[in-house]
Amino acid sequence: APTDVQVGTVADFPEGEIRPATLPDGTVVAIYNVDGTLYGTADLCSHGEASLSEEGILTGTTVECPWHFGTFDVTDGRATGMPCTVPLKTYTVKIANGNVYVESR
Ligand code: FES
């Protein structure tokens, strides 16, 4: 069953920015704030091993990986630009009472 893991407060995830969050099993999730809505994907680019939370560039709902300029849609993890073809795993991110939770499956 899914469990919600608290990863911080809303202040930790500024609008237009990408921040990392680590789940209890050590998995790092990249969390994107797009106009106040939070989305989560695997932190590592599916093409190489770039950290999207450290190096990704967020424009609207698109994250670009600066290593080879591949892109993903952060809302569903879809690869939207070459050389990326494998989707990113996505995570549901919730806000409740000013706290941020990632649903861990
Ligand atoms: Fe991200 Fe190649 S490692 S596009």
Side-chain angles (χ1 to χ4, degrees):
T3 49
D4 292 346
V5 177
Q6 191 187 345
V7 295
T9 67
V10 285
D12 297 321
F13 301 94
E15 205 161 306
E17 308 255 325
I18 316 170
R19 292 287 185 272
T22 305
L23 301 182
D25 70 357
T27 304
V28 181
V29 177
I31 297 183
Y32 311 85
N33 184 331
V34 180
D35 295 328
T37 302
L38 299 181
Y39 299 96
T41 73
D43 185 50
L44 294 183
C45 180
S46 63
H47 177 250
E49 295 275 287
S51 164
L52 295 172
S53 64
E54 278 179 32
E55 305 194 69
I57 297 159
L58 183 63
T59 306
T61 61
T62 297
V63 63
E64 181 181 76
C65 174
W67 282 21
H68 312 100
F69 311 108
T71 55
F72 300 92
D73 187 318
V74 305
T75 68
D76 59 7
R78 198 158 45 92
T80 53
M82 292 296 279
C84 300
T85 55
V86 178
L88 297 174
K89 179 173 179 174
T90 56
Y91 294 84
T92 302
V93 184
K94 303 170 183 173
I95 300 173
N97 299 319
N99 295 318
V100 175
Y101 301 86
V102 173
E103 192 174 279
S104 158
R105 285 155 285 179

